[in-house]
Amino acid sequence: MEIELQSLPGLLYLLLFAATLVQLAYYLFIYRKLFSYREGEDGEAPMQPVSVIVAARNEAGNLESYLPAILTQDYPDFEVIVVNDRSYDGTAELLKELKEQYPGLRVVDIPENDKYRQGKKFALTMGVKAAAHELLLFTDADCRPLSPFWIKNMQRGYAHAGTEIVLGASPYEKRKGLLNAFIRYETFYTAINYLSFALAGMPYMGVGRNLSYKKSLFFKQKGFASHLHLRSGDDDLFVNRAADSGNTRIAFSRESQTVSKAELTWGDYIRQKRRHQSVGKYYRGKHKFFLSLHACAAILFYACLFTLSGIAWDPVFLGVAAGSKWLVQYIVFRPVMKRMKAGDLWLFLPFLDLLYHIYILIMNLTPTSPENVQWK
């Protein structure tokens, strides 16, 4: 037992070294791609007609606040389709009033009907079928574009001839408190993951708050048929099935983003994230491997760092390991955080990064079945 205890610090130092190297490899070879990304690398795309699709259920307040910012976009040819999914909060009346003011607004009403498998995927499918244009752009009722040039900047991703999917970013508004800071950091981390992996030729997800793809691709993939039995996954699972290195681009200028309000309580936030993360096990194997490898390396890094700080303090080794990780992380993350309205979190990065990976560990130890989650 004495020999085993004596060898434990050596093993932990070896694991810490390995975990640090893995993280540095991700920062320098994956995340650096978004750090150095410049908008317009593929040239300018002709301004093709765009159909913006918003699925809404009991979202009258949000539609009243945010829909005008979409309807008044500075773009020559677009329509906005709002799918009113069985709302009973005055959404129908509001949309009727807005249609009189904005001729580019189209409404698809879904009534209560026991014959249909209802939910967000069904609502989006109805919106896609109603769309008049090949380029589709999706967002949610509680989102607003950060710029009147949102549509223009998102469709720039189609400058490359083979593009069928454009992934956008969608941060949350800044508020006071730890919860809001954590939500914005988690959203940033999710974005730097899926956008960087897309630039590295391995697109694996997108977010429905800001996502574009072609109508023909939707029907080629038979819509959401491969995961229709799951209540979630209308955005990330569709991209996971349909995206490849040749057909996917990103849009990451400030003017290409949408923003929405974050949850106000930890309970609401955890329920929202359980819904989102419940579909992760359905990702392709290689995607799960690379995402899990980085998460496990980060968790192992913190576990070894804090354990060694208590049982075998070596300030030089621990300082080099922690310093190299955080220095490179600071350099790579800071410009991306600034673009995503999270620049104020930069100084708190080590604490938020630790909190984020504790959250990842807890969420993965208490999984939720996607069959049991609800959209609204």
Side-chain angles (χ1 to χ4, degrees), residues 117 229-233 237 270-282 363-375:
R117 182 186 180 91
H229 60 294
L230 307 176
R231 294 185 182 272
S232 295
L237 286 185
I270 294 299
R271 281 189 288 273
Q272 179 194 63
K273 297 312 294 183
R274 284 194 182 283
R275 184 173 73 246
H276 293 168
Q277 292 199 318
S278 63
V279 299
K281 65 180 180 181
Y282 295 96
M363 292 293 282
N364 281 278
L365 291 176
T366 56
T368 298
S369 171
E371 290 86 352
N372 297 328
V373 298
Q374 298 291 331
W375 174 38

PDB file of all heavy atoms in Angstrom, residues 117 229-233 237 270-282 363-375:
ATOM      1  N   ARG A 117     -48.564  14.035 -35.669  1.00  0.00           N
ATOM      2  CA  ARG A 117     -47.522  13.991 -34.634  1.00  0.00           C
ATOM      3  C   ARG A 117     -46.982  15.412 -34.517  1.00  0.00           C
ATOM      4  O   ARG A 117     -46.185  15.857 -35.345  1.00  0.00           O
ATOM      5  CB  ARG A 117     -46.409  13.025 -35.031  1.00  0.00           C
ATOM      6  CG  ARG A 117     -45.322  12.888 -33.971  1.00  0.00           C
ATOM      7  CD  ARG A 117     -44.173  12.028 -34.478  1.00  0.00           C
ATOM      8  NE  ARG A 117     -43.140  11.898 -33.475  1.00  0.00           N
ATOM      9  CZ  ARG A 117     -43.077  10.931 -32.579  1.00  0.00           C
ATOM     10  NH1 ARG A 117     -44.010  10.011 -32.565  1.00  0.00           N
ATOM     11  NH2 ARG A 117     -42.104  10.882 -31.699  1.00  0.00           N
ATOM     12  N   HIS A 229     -38.780  10.330 -34.261  1.00  0.00           N
ATOM     13  CA  HIS A 229     -39.287   9.774 -33.008  1.00  0.00           C
ATOM     14  C   HIS A 229     -38.769  10.528 -31.788  1.00  0.00           C
ATOM     15  O   HIS A 229     -39.255  10.313 -30.670  1.00  0.00           O
ATOM     16  CB  HIS A 229     -38.898   8.303 -32.894  1.00  0.00           C
ATOM     17  CG  HIS A 229     -37.422   8.060 -32.899  1.00  0.00           C
ATOM     18  ND1 HIS A 229     -36.626   8.310 -34.007  1.00  0.00           N
ATOM     19  CD2 HIS A 229     -36.570   7.615 -31.922  1.00  0.00           C
ATOM     20  CE1 HIS A 229     -35.369   8.003 -33.733  1.00  0.00           C
ATOM     21  NE2 HIS A 229     -35.309   7.592 -32.477  1.00  0.00           N
ATOM     22  N   LEU A 230     -37.788  11.414 -31.995  1.00  0.00           N
ATOM     23  CA  LEU A 230     -37.236  12.215 -30.908  1.00  0.00           C
ATOM     24  C   LEU A 230     -37.855  13.603 -30.928  1.00  0.00           C
ATOM     25  O   LEU A 230     -37.998  14.205 -31.988  1.00  0.00           O
ATOM     26  CB  LEU A 230     -35.711  12.334 -31.044  1.00  0.00           C
ATOM     27  CG  LEU A 230     -34.936  11.016 -31.181  1.00  0.00           C
ATOM     28  CD1 LEU A 230     -33.462  11.304 -31.411  1.00  0.00           C
ATOM     29  CD2 LEU A 230     -35.138  10.149 -29.955  1.00  0.00           C
ATOM     30  N   ARG A 231     -38.186  14.132 -29.774  1.00  0.00           N
ATOM     31  CA  ARG A 231     -38.819  15.448 -29.728  1.00  0.00           C
ATOM     32  C   ARG A 231     -37.816  16.571 -29.989  1.00  0.00           C
ATOM     33  O   ARG A 231     -38.190  17.645 -30.428  1.00  0.00           O
ATOM     34  CB  ARG A 231     -39.499  15.654 -28.364  1.00  0.00           C
ATOM     35  CG  ARG A 231     -40.685  14.717 -28.128  1.00  0.00           C
ATOM     36  CD  ARG A 231     -41.398  15.056 -26.825  1.00  0.00           C
ATOM     37  NE  ARG A 231     -42.498  14.140 -26.570  1.00  0.00           N
ATOM     38  CZ  ARG A 231     -43.736  14.307 -27.007  1.00  0.00           C
ATOM     39  NH1 ARG A 231     -44.019  15.354 -27.741  1.00  0.00           N
ATOM     40  NH2 ARG A 231     -44.671  13.432 -26.726  1.00  0.00           N
ATOM     41  N   SER A 232     -36.543  16.329 -29.721  1.00  0.00           N
ATOM     42  CA  SER A 232     -35.512  17.326 -29.966  1.00  0.00           C
ATOM     43  C   SER A 232     -34.697  16.937 -31.184  1.00  0.00           C
ATOM     44  O   SER A 232     -34.886  15.873 -31.769  1.00  0.00           O
ATOM     45  CB  SER A 232     -34.594  17.449 -28.743  1.00  0.00           C
ATOM     46  OG  SER A 232     -35.309  17.947 -27.637  1.00  0.00           O
ATOM     47  N   GLY A 233     -33.750  17.815 -31.552  1.00  0.00           N
ATOM     48  CA  GLY A 233     -32.835  17.479 -32.629  1.00  0.00           C
ATOM     49  C   GLY A 233     -33.206  18.028 -33.991  1.00  0.00           C
ATOM     50  O   GLY A 233     -32.638  17.613 -35.002  1.00  0.00           O
ATOM     51  N   LEU A 237     -29.342  17.433 -34.925  1.00  0.00           N
ATOM     52  CA  LEU A 237     -29.355  16.117 -35.547  1.00  0.00           C
ATOM     53  C   LEU A 237     -29.538  16.209 -37.060  1.00  0.00           C
ATOM     54  O   LEU A 237     -28.974  15.399 -37.806  1.00  0.00           O
ATOM     55  CB  LEU A 237     -30.455  15.235 -34.942  1.00  0.00           C
ATOM     56  CG  LEU A 237     -30.183  14.699 -33.540  1.00  0.00           C
ATOM     57  CD1 LEU A 237     -31.281  13.742 -33.108  1.00  0.00           C
ATOM     58  CD2 LEU A 237     -28.822  14.013 -33.466  1.00  0.00           C
ATOM     59  N   ILE A 270     -31.463  24.437 -16.658  1.00  0.00           N
ATOM     60  CA  ILE A 270     -31.124  23.019 -16.667  1.00  0.00           C
ATOM     61  C   ILE A 270     -32.139  22.230 -17.485  1.00  0.00           C
ATOM     62  O   ILE A 270     -31.776  21.331 -18.257  1.00  0.00           O
ATOM     63  CB  ILE A 270     -31.046  22.461 -15.232  1.00  0.00           C
ATOM     64  CG1 ILE A 270     -29.870  23.114 -14.481  1.00  0.00           C
ATOM     65  CG2 ILE A 270     -30.897  20.953 -15.248  1.00  0.00           C
ATOM     66  CD1 ILE A 270     -28.517  22.853 -15.104  1.00  0.00           C
ATOM     67  N   ARG A 271     -33.434  22.566 -17.365  1.00  0.00           N
ATOM     68  CA  ARG A 271     -34.448  21.871 -18.161  1.00  0.00           C
ATOM     69  C   ARG A 271     -34.218  22.117 -19.656  1.00  0.00           C
ATOM     70  O   ARG A 271     -34.365  21.203 -20.469  1.00  0.00           O
ATOM     71  CB  ARG A 271     -35.848  22.328 -17.742  1.00  0.00           C
ATOM     72  CG  ARG A 271     -36.356  21.680 -16.462  1.00  0.00           C
ATOM     73  CD  ARG A 271     -37.817  21.999 -16.205  1.00  0.00           C
ATOM     74  NE  ARG A 271     -37.993  23.389 -15.811  1.00  0.00           N
ATOM     75  CZ  ARG A 271     -37.910  23.824 -14.558  1.00  0.00           C
ATOM     76  NH1 ARG A 271     -37.627  22.973 -13.585  1.00  0.00           N
ATOM     77  NH2 ARG A 271     -38.095  25.103 -14.267  1.00  0.00           N
ATOM     78  N   GLN A 272     -33.879  23.360 -20.001  1.00  0.00           N
ATOM     79  CA  GLN A 272     -33.603  23.681 -21.400  1.00  0.00           C
ATOM     80  C   GLN A 272     -32.406  22.883 -21.911  1.00  0.00           C
ATOM     81  O   GLN A 272     -32.443  22.305 -23.002  1.00  0.00           O
ATOM     82  CB  GLN A 272     -33.322  25.175 -21.541  1.00  0.00           C
ATOM     83  CG  GLN A 272     -32.999  25.622 -22.961  1.00  0.00           C
ATOM     84  CD  GLN A 272     -32.395  27.010 -22.999  1.00  0.00           C
ATOM     85  OE1 GLN A 272     -31.314  27.229 -22.459  1.00  0.00           O
ATOM     86  NE2 GLN A 272     -33.103  27.953 -23.607  1.00  0.00           N
ATOM     87  N   LYS A 273     -31.330  22.820 -21.130  1.00  0.00           N
ATOM     88  CA  LYS A 273     -30.125  22.132 -21.571  1.00  0.00           C
ATOM     89  C   LYS A 273     -30.300  20.629 -21.612  1.00  0.00           C
ATOM     90  O   LYS A 273     -29.700  19.948 -22.445  1.00  0.00           O
ATOM     91  CB  LYS A 273     -28.945  22.503 -20.675  1.00  0.00           C
ATOM     92  CG  LYS A 273     -28.560  23.964 -20.707  1.00  0.00           C
ATOM     93  CD  LYS A 273     -28.453  24.495 -22.128  1.00  0.00           C
ATOM     94  CE  LYS A 273     -27.335  23.875 -22.937  1.00  0.00           C
ATOM     95  NZ  LYS A 273     -27.208  24.469 -24.293  1.00  0.00           N
ATOM     96  N   ARG A 274     -31.122  20.092 -20.727  1.00  0.00           N
ATOM     97  CA  ARG A 274     -31.402  18.652 -20.796  1.00  0.00           C
ATOM     98  C   ARG A 274     -32.091  18.317 -22.113  1.00  0.00           C
ATOM     99  O   ARG A 274     -31.813  17.281 -22.726  1.00  0.00           O
ATOM    100  CB  ARG A 274     -32.264  18.216 -19.611  1.00  0.00           C
ATOM    101  CG  ARG A 274     -31.502  18.117 -18.303  1.00  0.00           C
ATOM    102  CD  ARG A 274     -32.303  17.368 -17.269  1.00  0.00           C
ATOM    103  NE  ARG A 274     -31.593  17.302 -16.001  1.00  0.00           N
ATOM    104  CZ  ARG A 274     -30.591  16.484 -15.738  1.00  0.00           C
ATOM    105  NH1 ARG A 274     -30.169  15.658 -16.672  1.00  0.00           N
ATOM    106  NH2 ARG A 274     -30.007  16.490 -14.554  1.00  0.00           N
ATOM    107  N   ARG A 275     -32.975  19.197 -22.543  1.00  0.00           N
ATOM    108  CA  ARG A 275     -33.646  18.990 -23.826  1.00  0.00           C
ATOM    109  C   ARG A 275     -32.641  19.017 -24.964  1.00  0.00           C
ATOM    110  O   ARG A 275     -32.675  18.185 -25.867  1.00  0.00           O
ATOM    111  CB  ARG A 275     -34.721  20.056 -24.026  1.00  0.00           C
ATOM    112  CG  ARG A 275     -35.535  19.865 -25.306  1.00  0.00           C
ATOM    113  CD  ARG A 275     -36.693  20.843 -25.390  1.00  0.00           C
ATOM    114  NE  ARG A 275     -36.238  22.195 -25.693  1.00  0.00           N
ATOM    115  CZ  ARG A 275     -36.329  23.231 -24.875  1.00  0.00           C
ATOM    116  NH1 ARG A 275     -36.819  23.065 -23.662  1.00  0.00           N
ATOM    117  NH2 ARG A 275     -35.916  24.427 -25.229  1.00  0.00           N
ATOM    118  N   HIS A 276     -31.723  19.966 -24.912  1.00  0.00           N
ATOM    119  CA  HIS A 276     -30.732  20.104 -25.979  1.00  0.00           C
ATOM    120  C   HIS A 276     -29.728  18.952 -25.975  1.00  0.00           C
ATOM    121  O   HIS A 276     -29.382  18.414 -27.026  1.00  0.00           O
ATOM    122  CB  HIS A 276     -29.983  21.426 -25.823  1.00  0.00           C
ATOM    123  CG  HIS A 276     -30.843  22.629 -26.046  1.00  0.00           C
ATOM    124  ND1 HIS A 276     -30.430  23.910 -25.721  1.00  0.00           N
ATOM    125  CD2 HIS A 276     -32.090  22.760 -26.553  1.00  0.00           C
ATOM    126  CE1 HIS A 276     -31.387  24.776 -26.019  1.00  0.00           C
ATOM    127  NE2 HIS A 276     -32.409  24.093 -26.510  1.00  0.00           N
ATOM    128  N   GLN A 277     -29.255  18.583 -24.784  1.00  0.00           N
ATOM    129  CA  GLN A 277     -28.185  17.593 -24.703  1.00  0.00           C
ATOM    130  C   GLN A 277     -28.678  16.158 -24.783  1.00  0.00           C
ATOM    131  O   GLN A 277     -27.872  15.243 -24.934  1.00  0.00           O
ATOM    132  CB  GLN A 277     -27.381  17.795 -23.421  1.00  0.00           C
ATOM    133  CG  GLN A 277     -26.576  19.103 -23.417  1.00  0.00           C
ATOM    134  CD  GLN A 277     -25.470  19.099 -22.398  1.00  0.00           C
ATOM    135  OE1 GLN A 277     -25.658  18.635 -21.283  1.00  0.00           O
ATOM    136  NE2 GLN A 277     -24.322  19.618 -22.776  1.00  0.00           N
ATOM    137  N   SER A 278     -29.978  15.957 -24.698  1.00  0.00           N
ATOM    138  CA  SER A 278     -30.506  14.600 -24.703  1.00  0.00           C
ATOM    139  C   SER A 278     -30.291  13.884 -26.030  1.00  0.00           C
ATOM    140  O   SER A 278     -30.375  12.669 -26.107  1.00  0.00           O
ATOM    141  CB  SER A 278     -32.012  14.621 -24.373  1.00  0.00           C
ATOM    142  OG  SER A 278     -32.731  15.338 -25.375  1.00  0.00           O
ATOM    143  N   VAL A 279     -29.989  14.645 -27.094  1.00  0.00           N
ATOM    144  CA  VAL A 279     -29.828  14.024 -28.408  1.00  0.00           C
ATOM    145  C   VAL A 279     -28.373  13.763 -28.754  1.00  0.00           C
ATOM    146  O   VAL A 279     -28.068  13.205 -29.805  1.00  0.00           O
ATOM    147  CB  VAL A 279     -30.471  14.890 -29.516  1.00  0.00           C
ATOM    148  CG1 VAL A 279     -31.963  15.048 -29.272  1.00  0.00           C
ATOM    149  CG2 VAL A 279     -29.799  16.255 -29.603  1.00  0.00           C
ATOM    150  N   GLY A 280     -27.442  14.169 -27.887  1.00  0.00           N
ATOM    151  CA  GLY A 280     -26.028  14.031 -28.190  1.00  0.00           C
ATOM    152  C   GLY A 280     -25.607  12.598 -28.473  1.00  0.00           C
ATOM    153  O   GLY A 280     -24.699  12.353 -29.274  1.00  0.00           O
ATOM    154  N   LYS A 281     -26.257  11.629 -27.839  1.00  0.00           N
ATOM    155  CA  LYS A 281     -25.858  10.239 -28.042  1.00  0.00           C
ATOM    156  C   LYS A 281     -26.187   9.750 -29.443  1.00  0.00           C
ATOM    157  O   LYS A 281     -25.721   8.679 -29.858  1.00  0.00           O
ATOM    158  CB  LYS A 281     -26.539   9.344 -27.001  1.00  0.00           C
ATOM    159  CG  LYS A 281     -28.063   9.272 -27.103  1.00  0.00           C
ATOM    160  CD  LYS A 281     -28.610   8.364 -26.016  1.00  0.00           C
ATOM    161  CE  LYS A 281     -30.133   8.261 -26.091  1.00  0.00           C
ATOM    162  NZ  LYS A 281     -30.674   7.390 -25.026  1.00  0.00           N
ATOM    163  N   TYR A 282     -26.975  10.525 -30.205  1.00  0.00           N
ATOM    164  CA  TYR A 282     -27.328  10.140 -31.561  1.00  0.00           C
ATOM    165  C   TYR A 282     -26.384  10.745 -32.598  1.00  0.00           C
ATOM    166  O   TYR A 282     -26.568  10.548 -33.798  1.00  0.00           O
ATOM    167  CB  TYR A 282     -28.771  10.547 -31.877  1.00  0.00           C
ATOM    168  CG  TYR A 282     -29.781   9.820 -31.034  1.00  0.00           C
ATOM    169  CD1 TYR A 282     -30.294  10.395 -29.875  1.00  0.00           C
ATOM    170  CD2 TYR A 282     -30.215   8.536 -31.365  1.00  0.00           C
ATOM    171  CE1 TYR A 282     -31.222   9.734 -29.082  1.00  0.00           C
ATOM    172  CE2 TYR A 282     -31.124   7.856 -30.577  1.00  0.00           C
ATOM    173  CZ  TYR A 282     -31.629   8.463 -29.438  1.00  0.00           C
ATOM    174  OH  TYR A 282     -32.530   7.794 -28.651  1.00  0.00           O
ATOM    175  N   MET A 363     -24.063  16.746 -16.091  1.00  0.00           N
ATOM    176  CA  MET A 363     -25.075  16.500 -17.113  1.00  0.00           C
ATOM    177  C   MET A 363     -24.921  15.126 -17.747  1.00  0.00           C
ATOM    178  O   MET A 363     -25.910  14.456 -18.069  1.00  0.00           O
ATOM    179  CB  MET A 363     -25.014  17.585 -18.182  1.00  0.00           C
ATOM    180  CG  MET A 363     -25.442  18.965 -17.707  1.00  0.00           C
ATOM    181  SD  MET A 363     -27.200  19.086 -17.292  1.00  0.00           S
ATOM    182  CE  MET A 363     -27.907  19.212 -18.923  1.00  0.00           C
ATOM    183  N   ASN A 364     -23.682  14.687 -17.931  1.00  0.00           N
ATOM    184  CA  ASN A 364     -23.458  13.382 -18.546  1.00  0.00           C
ATOM    185  C   ASN A 364     -23.663  12.230 -17.574  1.00  0.00           C
ATOM    186  O   ASN A 364     -23.926  11.104 -17.999  1.00  0.00           O
ATOM    187  CB  ASN A 364     -22.052  13.315 -19.141  1.00  0.00           C
ATOM    188  CG  ASN A 364     -21.960  14.017 -20.478  1.00  0.00           C
ATOM    189  OD1 ASN A 364     -22.314  13.462 -21.511  1.00  0.00           O
ATOM    190  ND2 ASN A 364     -21.510  15.258 -20.476  1.00  0.00           N
ATOM    191  N   LEU A 365     -23.573  12.514 -16.280  1.00  0.00           N
ATOM    192  CA  LEU A 365     -23.841  11.477 -15.282  1.00  0.00           C
ATOM    193  C   LEU A 365     -25.331  11.331 -15.001  1.00  0.00           C
ATOM    194  O   LEU A 365     -25.763  10.334 -14.419  1.00  0.00           O
ATOM    195  CB  LEU A 365     -23.103  11.795 -13.976  1.00  0.00           C
ATOM    196  CG  LEU A 365     -21.580  11.671 -14.020  1.00  0.00           C
ATOM    197  CD1 LEU A 365     -20.975  12.117 -12.694  1.00  0.00           C
ATOM    198  CD2 LEU A 365     -21.163  10.241 -14.357  1.00  0.00           C
ATOM    199  N   THR A 366     -26.122  12.333 -15.403  1.00  0.00           N
ATOM    200  CA  THR A 366     -27.577  12.271 -15.198  1.00  0.00           C
ATOM    201  C   THR A 366     -28.281  12.528 -16.524  1.00  0.00           C
ATOM    202  O   THR A 366     -28.924  13.555 -16.711  1.00  0.00           O
ATOM    203  CB  THR A 366     -28.026  13.313 -14.161  1.00  0.00           C
ATOM    204  OG1 THR A 366     -27.592  14.632 -14.587  1.00  0.00           O
ATOM    205  CG2 THR A 366     -27.433  13.017 -12.803  1.00  0.00           C
ATOM    206  N   PRO A 367     -28.165  11.588 -17.476  1.00  0.00           N
ATOM    207  CA  PRO A 367     -28.733  11.811 -18.811  1.00  0.00           C
ATOM    208  C   PRO A 367     -30.252  11.789 -18.803  1.00  0.00           C
ATOM    209  O   PRO A 367     -30.892  11.233 -17.906  1.00  0.00           O
ATOM    210  CB  PRO A 367     -28.172  10.640 -19.622  1.00  0.00           C
ATOM    211  CG  PRO A 367     -27.957   9.559 -18.605  1.00  0.00           C
ATOM    212  CD  PRO A 367     -27.533  10.276 -17.349  1.00  0.00           C
ATOM    213  N   THR A 368     -30.832  12.431 -19.823  1.00  0.00           N
ATOM    214  CA  THR A 368     -32.279  12.469 -20.014  1.00  0.00           C
ATOM    215  C   THR A 368     -32.632  11.874 -21.358  1.00  0.00           C
ATOM    216  O   THR A 368     -31.950  12.127 -22.353  1.00  0.00           O
ATOM    217  CB  THR A 368     -32.796  13.915 -19.946  1.00  0.00           C
ATOM    218  OG1 THR A 368     -32.519  14.442 -18.660  1.00  0.00           O
ATOM    219  CG2 THR A 368     -34.301  13.980 -20.186  1.00  0.00           C
ATOM    220  N   SER A 369     -33.681  11.094 -21.406  1.00  0.00           N
ATOM    221  CA  SER A 369     -34.120  10.522 -22.679  1.00  0.00           C
ATOM    222  C   SER A 369     -34.774  11.581 -23.537  1.00  0.00           C
ATOM    223  O   SER A 369     -35.659  12.299 -23.067  1.00  0.00           O
ATOM    224  CB  SER A 369     -35.125   9.386 -22.431  1.00  0.00           C
ATOM    225  OG  SER A 369     -35.705   8.972 -23.652  1.00  0.00           O
ATOM    226  N   PRO A 370     -34.385  11.713 -24.833  1.00  0.00           N
ATOM    227  CA  PRO A 370     -34.989  12.719 -25.691  1.00  0.00           C
ATOM    228  C   PRO A 370     -36.443  12.434 -26.001  1.00  0.00           C
ATOM    229  O   PRO A 370     -37.162  13.321 -26.451  1.00  0.00           O
ATOM    230  CB  PRO A 370     -34.122  12.658 -26.960  1.00  0.00           C
ATOM    231  CG  PRO A 370     -33.537  11.287 -26.951  1.00  0.00           C
ATOM    232  CD  PRO A 370     -33.328  10.936 -25.511  1.00  0.00           C
ATOM    233  N   GLU A 371     -36.895  11.219 -25.750  1.00  0.00           N
ATOM    234  CA  GLU A 371     -38.305  10.905 -25.989  1.00  0.00           C
ATOM    235  C   GLU A 371     -39.199  11.572 -24.955  1.00  0.00           C
ATOM    236  O   GLU A 371     -40.404  11.751 -25.175  1.00  0.00           O
ATOM    237  CB  GLU A 371     -38.548   9.394 -25.968  1.00  0.00           C
ATOM    238  CG  GLU A 371     -37.964   8.646 -27.154  1.00  0.00           C
ATOM    239  CD  GLU A 371     -36.505   8.261 -26.928  1.00  0.00           C
ATOM    240  OE1 GLU A 371     -35.924   8.712 -25.926  1.00  0.00           O
ATOM    241  OE2 GLU A 371     -35.960   7.513 -27.773  1.00  0.00           O
ATOM    242  N   ASN A 372     -38.621  11.985 -23.808  1.00  0.00           N
ATOM    243  CA  ASN A 372     -39.428  12.501 -22.709  1.00  0.00           C
ATOM    244  C   ASN A 372     -39.452  14.026 -22.615  1.00  0.00           C
ATOM    245  O   ASN A 372     -40.170  14.567 -21.790  1.00  0.00           O
ATOM    246  CB  ASN A 372     -38.900  11.943 -21.376  1.00  0.00           C
ATOM    247  CG  ASN A 372     -39.025  10.429 -21.324  1.00  0.00           C
ATOM    248  OD1 ASN A 372     -39.939   9.859 -21.902  1.00  0.00           O
ATOM    249  ND2 ASN A 372     -38.082   9.792 -20.641  1.00  0.00           N
ATOM    250  N   VAL A 373     -38.670  14.721 -23.442  1.00  0.00           N
ATOM    251  CA  VAL A 373     -38.616  16.165 -23.345  1.00  0.00           C
ATOM    252  C   VAL A 373     -39.719  16.793 -24.170  1.00  0.00           C
ATOM    253  O   VAL A 373     -40.266  16.186 -25.090  1.00  0.00           O
ATOM    254  CB  VAL A 373     -37.236  16.694 -23.818  1.00  0.00           C
ATOM    255  CG1 VAL A 373     -36.135  16.153 -22.944  1.00  0.00           C
ATOM    256  CG2 VAL A 373     -36.996  16.365 -25.284  1.00  0.00           C
ATOM    257  N   GLN A 374     -40.071  18.024 -23.827  1.00  0.00           N
ATOM    258  CA  GLN A 374     -41.131  18.740 -24.503  1.00  0.00           C
ATOM    259  C   GLN A 374     -40.561  19.992 -25.152  1.00  0.00           C
ATOM    260  O   GLN A 374     -39.616  20.601 -24.648  1.00  0.00           O
ATOM    261  CB  GLN A 374     -42.238  19.113 -23.504  1.00  0.00           C
ATOM    262  CG  GLN A 374     -42.915  17.927 -22.849  1.00  0.00           C
ATOM    263  CD  GLN A 374     -43.766  17.130 -23.802  1.00  0.00           C
ATOM    264  OE1 GLN A 374     -44.302  17.659 -24.772  1.00  0.00           O
ATOM    265  NE2 GLN A 374     -43.896  15.832 -23.539  1.00  0.00           N
ATOM    266  N   TRP A 375     -41.180  20.395 -26.306  1.00  0.00           N
ATOM    267  CA  TRP A 375     -40.776  21.646 -26.936  1.00  0.00           C
ATOM    268  C   TRP A 375     -41.391  22.810 -26.178  1.00  0.00           C
ATOM    269  O   TRP A 375     -40.711  23.707 -25.692  1.00  0.00           O
ATOM    270  CB  TRP A 375     -41.200  21.638 -28.412  1.00  0.00           C
ATOM    271  CG  TRP A 375     -40.941  22.959 -29.086  1.00  0.00           C
ATOM    272  CD1 TRP A 375     -39.864  23.782 -28.899  1.00  0.00           C
ATOM    273  CD2 TRP A 375     -41.767  23.639 -30.030  1.00  0.00           C
ATOM    274  NE1 TRP A 375     -39.950  24.905 -29.691  1.00  0.00           N
ATOM    275  CE2 TRP A 375     -41.113  24.846 -30.392  1.00  0.00           C
ATOM    276  CE3 TRP A 375     -42.985  23.340 -30.623  1.00  0.00           C
ATOM    277  CZ2 TRP A 375     -41.650  25.743 -31.314  1.00  0.00           C
ATOM    278  CZ3 TRP A 375     -43.510  24.228 -31.553  1.00  0.00           C
ATOM    279  CH2 TRP A 375     -42.856  25.420 -31.877  1.00  0.00           C
TER     280      TRP A 375
END
